[in-house]
Amino acid sequence: KAGVTQTPRYLIKTRGQQVTLSCSPISGHRSVSWYQQTPGQGLQFLFEYFSETQRNKGNFPGRFSGRQFSNSRSEMNVSTLELGDSALYLCASSPFGTANTGELFFGEGSRLTVL
Amino acid sequence: DQQVKQNSPSLSVQEGRISILNCDYTNSMFDYFLWYKKYPAEGPTFLISISSIKDKNEDGRFTVFLNKSAKHLSLHIVPSQPGDSAVYFCAASAYSGGSNYKLTFGKGTLLTVNP
């Protein structure tokens, strides 16, 4: 069974640009969550999608947005990039959403560098 | 306000000895707790979990202890092996309405097991 696939793995952008990251969940998984990992803040929750609907949202500005398609693939977009957006963006999938068992299957992440 | 705290950014242990990683939480609504392990350039992987109705869960060399009154959990690895060297994230799950649960991560502890 293929794991969670994230593309691109690495990218470099400049301030003010926008970026779109893609995530393909494990086949059959309907929930996709996005996390931002930075050295000082650990893993911070961005949002979760289930059956094309955003179910949960973290405390990030409106520049961060996402969507989920009917095949459960998800994209996240960051507009007007800032230096502080440099981070590893992780996507995670689960079959039933972030149920209280909490077990998520993570991709390898997309490393974004903003210059 | 960080609801899940891992106060030790790093821990160094000798091979064969016990590793103890600690985690404190502030939200009494958390009802499920998990540990994830992360190697460099990889996404986090689920390690072990515990429900709030239990105080101990064991899986091979890994044991998680939960002290609800102290809002504290710990992960014990016995015996520690060099391959256990990774960042360990503590996570907690709380009900967020409807059928939704939200997972909150700590900042992580870098464990180094020396041969």
Side-chain angles (χ1 to χ4, degrees), chain A residues 13-89:
Chain A
K13 293 284 186 179
T14 57
R15 279 183 298 174
Q17 287 187 310
Q18 75 162 14
V19 67
T20 298
L21 308 177
S22 180
C23 172
S24 293
I26 291 172
S27 178
H29 286 194
R30 296 167 61 190
S31 167
V32 173
S33 300
W34 289 90
Y35 289 84
Q36 182 195 64
Q37 186 190 5
T38 56
Q41 297 299 320
L43 282 166
Q44 292 191 290
F45 174 73
L46 282 155
F47 26 66
E48 183 213 352
Y49 288 88
F50 184 82
S51 294
E52 302 178 66
T53 301
Q54 187 181 87
R55 293 209 304 190
N56 275 306
K57 189 176 188 304
N59 298 321
F60 278 80
R63 300 185 296 108
F64 292 81
S65 63
R67 58 177 175 168
Q68 186 180 34
F69 302 96
S70 58
N71 61 357
S72 293
R73 190 177 71 85
S74 177
E75 288 182 347
M76 69 162 282
N77 185 77
V78 188
S79 62
T80 319
L81 284 167
E82 301 176 359
L83 295 178
D85 297 333
S86 295
L88 180 68
Y89 290 88

Side-chain angles (χ1 to χ4, degrees), chain B:
Chain B
D1 174 36
Q2 194 166 20
Q3 298 185 48
V4 178
K5 300 177 184 177
Q6 294 177 257
N7 292 320
S8 298
S10 62
L11 173 68
S12 185
V13 170
Q14 208 62 30
E15 181 179 4
R17 306 294 291 269
I18 184 172
S19 295
I20 300 177
L21 295 96
N22 294 305
C23 178
D24 297 296
Y25 62 95
T26 57
N27 187 348
S28 57
M29 300 304 293
F30 287 141
D31 60 359
Y32 213 84
F33 303 89
L34 307 93
W35 286 93
Y36 282 81
K37 180 170 74 173
K38 185 182 185 300
Y39 293 117
E42 295 183 12
T45 55
F46 170 75
L47 186 59
I48 191 170
S49 62
I50 186 168
S51 165
S52 60
I53 63 173
K54 295 186 176 182
D55 55 18
K56 177 183 174 181
N57 188 29
E58 193 170 351
D59 184 2
R61 298 186 296 113
F62 303 90
T63 303
V64 57
F65 295 93
L66 175 63
N67 182 334
K68 283 188 66 177
S69 61
K71 293 190 174 65
H72 175 85
L73 65 155
S74 60
L75 173 68
H76 293 212
I77 306 173
V78 182
S80 301
Q81 299 174 354
D84 296 329
S85 297
V87 176
Y88 289 79
F89 290 98
C90 171
S93 177
Y95 181 62
S96 64
S99 60
N100 304 335
Y101 292 83
K102 189 175 174 181
L103 202 60
T104 302
F105 284 83
K107 293 185 179 183
T109 297
L110 173 63
L111 172 67
T112 303
V113 180
N114 301 303

